Amino acid sequence: MAEERLVDPQFKYRVASRTGGEGLLVCFSCGVCTAGCPVAEIEGNFNPRRIIHQVLLGEKESVLTSKYLWMCVGCYRCTAHCPQDVEFTNILKVLREMAVEEGYVSKEWQEIVEDLDRRTQKLRRDCLNYLFENALFSFPQYLDFYQREIEKLSFSGGGRDNER
Ligand code: SF4
Ligand code: SF4
């Protein structure tokens, strides 16, 4: 692979020229996206405003090799609240596509993340169903249930029959 420059001045234009990336150039770094992001709330290093800033600065490698590219859960809250109508959720999808296309991560990695998202949603659905069907409407009951489920969690066992 040819040696990459650390800063790519064309990077932002390439992102902005793709479907979903169009609004990138009008971001004025207000930080509203980060302030309302549920992932940023639990992971202080995930920062949508900073990711956009890095793209605008041309920090292609740093952005496309970052694990934070994969932390977004696609809730679109940032997009809904952005005063400049920047669609950060879609910009992140563009960046993920570019990371795969340019060989920074494998297609398999992308599929693993998508599978993780499906499993997370399934876990949430199952927990909600259980809590509702068993009328566990108080917080202590919920905590007991949650503790039991955490103890049962294992990535080494379990069939694939229950995955969908
Ligand atoms: S809310 Fe919009 S304008 Fe403000 S930093 Fe985020 S993307 Fe940029
Ligand atoms: S779409 Fe992603 S970046 Fe935007 S608020 Fe939701 S989790 Fe955060």
Side-chain angles (χ1 to χ4, degrees):
M1 183 189 295
E3 194 172 307
E4 301 271 1
R5 293 164 60 191
L6 285 179
V7 172
D8 177 353
Q10 297 304 311
F11 184 43
K12 62 184 174 189
Y13 300 116
R14 290 201 287 122
V15 175
S17 70
R18 295 175 64 137
T19 303
E22 298 91 345
L24 171 72
L25 300 178
V26 298
C27 169
F28 55 25
S29 264
C30 67
V32 166
C33 48
T34 303
C37 172
V39 176
E41 196 178 320
I42 60 159
E43 171 51 66
N45 289 318
F46 178 73
N47 187 321
R49 184 202 63 76
R50 189 189 304 143
I51 292 172
I52 290 197
H53 192 58
Q54 286 181 293
V55 175
L56 292 173
L57 290 177
E59 296 177 4
K60 186 184 94 170
E61 276 203 27
S62 176
V63 169
L64 297 186
T65 58
S66 171
K67 70 179 176 187
Y68 298 112
L69 204 55
W70 304 93
M71 287 206 176
C72 167
V73 295
C75 69
Y76 282 89
R77 203 185 288 182
C78 52
T79 297
H81 293 164
C82 175
Q84 291 290 88
D85 292 330
V86 179
E87 297 179 349
F88 180 73
T89 322
N90 293 333
I91 289 172
L92 216 51
K93 288 179 182 173
V94 168
L95 294 171
R96 289 180 180 187
E97 287 168 11
M98 293 174 88
V100 174
E101 287 167 11
E102 300 189 23
Y104 289 102
V105 294
S106 66
K107 184 76 182 161
E108 187 185 23
W109 165 253
Q110 187 178 30
E111 288 166 2
I112 287 171
V113 174
E114 288 168 2
D115 185 59
L116 181 63
D117 288 344
R118 274 193 299 276
R119 287 172 188 264
T120 306
Q121 286 303 323
K122 178 179 177 295
L123 178 65
R124 186 175 190 278
R125 180 206 63 188
D126 290 348
C127 286
L128 274 172
N129 278 341
Y130 184 88
L131 291 167
F132 198 82
E133 284 160 11
N134 291 280
L136 299 181
F137 296 131
S138 81
F139 200 60
Q141 282 178 310
Y142 162 73
L143 284 182
D144 285 346
F145 159 76
Y146 194 65
Q147 187 62 41
R148 283 199 308 275
E149 291 304 301
I150 292 290
E151 285 164 7
K152 280 195 295 187
L153 263 183
S154 165
F155 288 101
S156 61
R160 296 183 69 85
D161 293 349
N162 295 327
E163 289 171 4
R164 304 195 192 284

